[in-house]
Amino acid sequence: MTTTGLDEFALLDETWRSVTPDAARRMLIAAAHAFAGKGYHATTTRDIASLAGMSPAAVYIHYRSKEELLFNISLVGHETSLKLLSRIQGGDVVERLRNAVAAFAGWHAEFHTTARVVQYELGALSPEHHAQVAELRRQIDQQMRSYIADGVAEGVFDVPDLKGATLAVLSLCIDVARWYQPGGKRTPDEIGALYADLVLRMLRPAN
Amino acid sequence: MTTTGLDEFALLDETWRSVTPDAARRMLIAAAHAFAGKGYHATTTRDIASLAGMSPAAVYIHYRSKEELLFNISLVGHETSLKLLSRIQGGDVVERLRNAVAAFAGWHAEFHTTARVVQYELGALSPEHHAQVAELRRQIDQQMRSYIADGVAEGVFDVPDLKGATLAVLSLCIDVARWYQPGGKRTPDEIGALYADLVLRMLRPAN
DNA sequence: CTTAGCGCTAAGCAACCGCTTAGTATGGAG
DNA sequence: CTCCATACTAAGCGGTTGCTTAGCGCTAAG
């Protein structure tokens, strides 16, 4: 019955600004935090409602089911991270990959709450919703791969296995959402910079 | 009420050979597969029992609770991967890190079922059990860090941020458990070799 | 003032949860 | 053959689940 901490959530996570009405947005944010903290299956609709400061039945005014809440979070999360990755441009090939890795890894730190739901609750989506999200994941892979391939074409990266390297880079960034803690020693930006540096070291040619 | 696939599980996952009696081991293996597939909270004790080909009550002959099943899986999994990482020796510093990364990443692929439970269900452990497992995780970090530090001391690795690099290497290996699929194009050994190569590239000094 | 509609709640439904209890089949010791 | 411990099952307990229903207070058009 308490809304403690929810305003803080809303400030931290501007991902949901476009969601209306207000109660529906608060419900989404509450669900994202509950799913990230305890997992989708361990979260009850009563948990979500009380986090949003409303009664259990209020969930069903705005969403058809608990799964639809998850789908909304997953969809917006995937779209946001894909947009972030796709809008990198300008600079040379090295700087573009540096910015791409920094942005993608940094997002998984800063929005680790959303990112955890996005990355670890895919299996709880309905088959139809899962397919929709899988297409976005394919696009994310394609985008990161093209940044690396551009550097290979120019000869500034040495990558024997393009598919394998892309997999490793994405995997490295995604796993940030698992271990990152807000109170830790590194800020999301520092993590982005560290990871971008490590990835560029990994792909640089031998001299 | 079917045991289909369980013998296959047992063959694939020799991790549990030492667990007796037979029914208790089958229960653990069934639980590991159920937890990995649907998550701890989404798995019912009835799921586990029926996967093991027994009645729901049979679980409580061998284990006090569902959580105790999880703890057993988590403990043995952590001990196994730590042992695997610690027993690397011989060769020079580079070869030792190569073997360590290959072994650790390869384990997370080959035993991805166990590894998923180990890495993603920590939060479902009781506080006491969690503390016990956290100590093992500290040792894993320490072991990997010392392999890297040895190379830095000899000047064959260039690592500006030892703690950050260790984090990234472990993170990279652990995340294999998330994306690996048995039917995929790469075998666990190939993944180990790919990742060991990528890590060594990441840590090599500039020339 | 009436009335329709919206956002919300109190109460509750059937189903399912982890776990317990009472009792049965089995097999080895004396 | 008797006895008893062991490994298991059938049945069921109290509590919780996702979701529904009936009805509330409020706003605003006619």
Side-chain angles (χ1 to χ4, degrees):
Chain A
M1 211 52 83
T2 173
T3 55
T4 307
L6 248 193
D7 302 326
E8 167 192 359
F9 293 167
L11 286 175
L12 282 172
D13 208 329
E14 75 244 26
T15 313
W16 315 108
R17 228 179 335 198
S18 63
V19 178
T20 52
D22 189 76
R25 180 176 56 254
R26 273 162 51 217
M27 214 81 87
L28 255 198
I29 294 170
H33 279 85
F35 292 163
K38 315 201 303 171
Y40 174 80
H41 291 291
T43 300
T44 70
T45 54
R46 286 163 177 85
D47 290 338
I48 297 167
S50 87
L51 250 182
M54 310 184 84
S55 80
V59 171
Y60 296 90
I61 304 292
H62 303 284
Y63 300 94
R64 259 191 282 263
S65 66
K66 190 172 89 159
E67 193 270 346
E68 199 180 83
L69 272 163
L70 173 65
F71 174 59
N72 268 276
I73 296 165
S74 191
L75 190 66
V76 173
H78 276 95
E79 285 170 345
T80 304
S81 66
L82 173 58
K83 206 172 295 175
L84 213 75
L85 191 63
S86 300
R87 73 162 173 226
I88 307 288
Q89 48 186 354
D92 59 18
V93 198
V94 173
E95 283 313 298
R96 234 177 309 159
L97 182 61
R98 183 191 299 281
N99 291 334
V101 170
F104 197 66
W107 184 83
H108 280 80
E110 181 161 11
F111 302 105
H112 65 281
T113 300
T114 303
R116 274 176 204 171
V117 180
V118 163
Q119 301 297 346
Y120 298 133
E121 302 294 352
L122 289 172
L125 292 167
S126 72
E128 297 77 19
H129 288 161
H130 182 89
Q132 209 167 324
V133 158
E135 168 59 21
L136 287 168
R137 296 180 73 83
R138 209 191 51 79
Q139 290 178 37
I140 289 171
D141 183 85
Q142 201 58 42
Q143 185 63 253
M144 184 64 88
R145 190 180 310 195
S146 78
Y147 286 134
I148 298 175
D150 288 352
V152 172
E154 288 193 17
V156 294
F157 297 153
D158 174 29
V159 179
D161 181 347
L162 176 62
K163 211 170 160 186
T166 307
L167 179 68
V169 170
L170 284 174
S171 171
L172 194 63
C173 296
I174 287 171
D175 199 54
V176 170
R178 182 183 56 85
W179 59 259
Y180 177 78
Q181 309 188 59
K185 294 189 176 173
R186 300 168 199 272
T187 67
D189 280 350
E190 287 167 355
I191 291 165
L194 170 68
Y195 270 46
D197 180 58
L198 288 171
V199 166
L200 288 178
R201 282 168 173 264
M202 195 168 78
L203 303 184
R204 85 203 131 146
N207 279 2
Chain B
M1 213 54 84
T2 172
T3 55
T4 307
L6 250 192
D7 302 326
E8 167 192 359
F9 293 167
L11 285 175
L12 280 172
D13 207 327
E14 75 243 26
T15 313
W16 315 108
R17 228 180 333 197
S18 64
V19 178
T20 52
D22 190 75
R25 180 177 55 254
R26 272 162 50 216
M27 215 80 85
L28 255 198
I29 294 170
H33 278 85
F35 292 163
K38 315 203 303 174
Y40 174 80
H41 290 293
T43 300
T44 70
T45 54
R46 286 164 177 84
D47 290 338
I48 297 167
S50 88
L51 251 182
M54 310 184 84
S55 80
V59 171
Y60 296 91
I61 305 290
H62 302 285
Y63 301 94
R64 258 191 282 263
S65 66
K66 190 172 91 160
E67 193 270 347
E68 199 178 84
L69 272 163
L70 174 64
F71 175 59
N72 267 276
I73 295 165
S74 191
L75 190 67
V76 173
H78 276 94
E79 285 172 344
T80 304
S81 65
L82 173 58
K83 206 173 295 176
L84 212 75
L85 191 64
S86 300
R87 73 160 173 229
I88 307 288
Q89 50 186 353
D92 59 18
V93 198
V94 174
E95 281 313 299
R96 235 178 310 164
L97 183 61
R98 182 191 300 281
N99 291 334
V101 170
F104 197 66
W107 185 83
H108 280 80
E110 181 159 12
F111 301 104
H112 65 282
T113 300
T114 303
R116 273 175 204 172
V117 180
V118 162
Q119 302 296 345
Y120 299 133
E121 302 295 351
L122 290 172
L125 291 166
S126 73
E128 297 77 18
H129 288 161
H130 182 90
Q132 210 167 324
V133 159
E135 168 58 20
L136 287 168
R137 294 179 75 83
R138 211 191 50 78
Q139 291 178 36
I140 289 171
D141 183 86
Q142 202 56 42
Q143 185 62 254
M144 184 65 88
R145 189 179 312 195
S146 78
Y147 286 134
I148 298 175
D150 289 351
V152 173
E154 287 193 17
V156 293
F157 297 153
D158 173 29
V159 180
D161 182 345
L162 177 62
K163 211 170 159 184
T166 307
L167 179 67
V169 170
L170 283 173
S171 171
L172 194 63
C173 295
I174 286 171
D175 198 54
V176 170
R178 182 183 55 84
W179 58 260
Y180 177 78
Q181 310 187 60
K185 294 190 176 172
R186 300 168 200 274
T187 66
D189 281 349
E190 285 167 357
I191 291 165
L194 170 69
Y195 271 45
D197 180 58
L198 288 170
V199 165
L200 288 178
R201 281 166 173 265
M202 194 168 79
L203 303 183
R204 85 203 131 147
N207 279 3

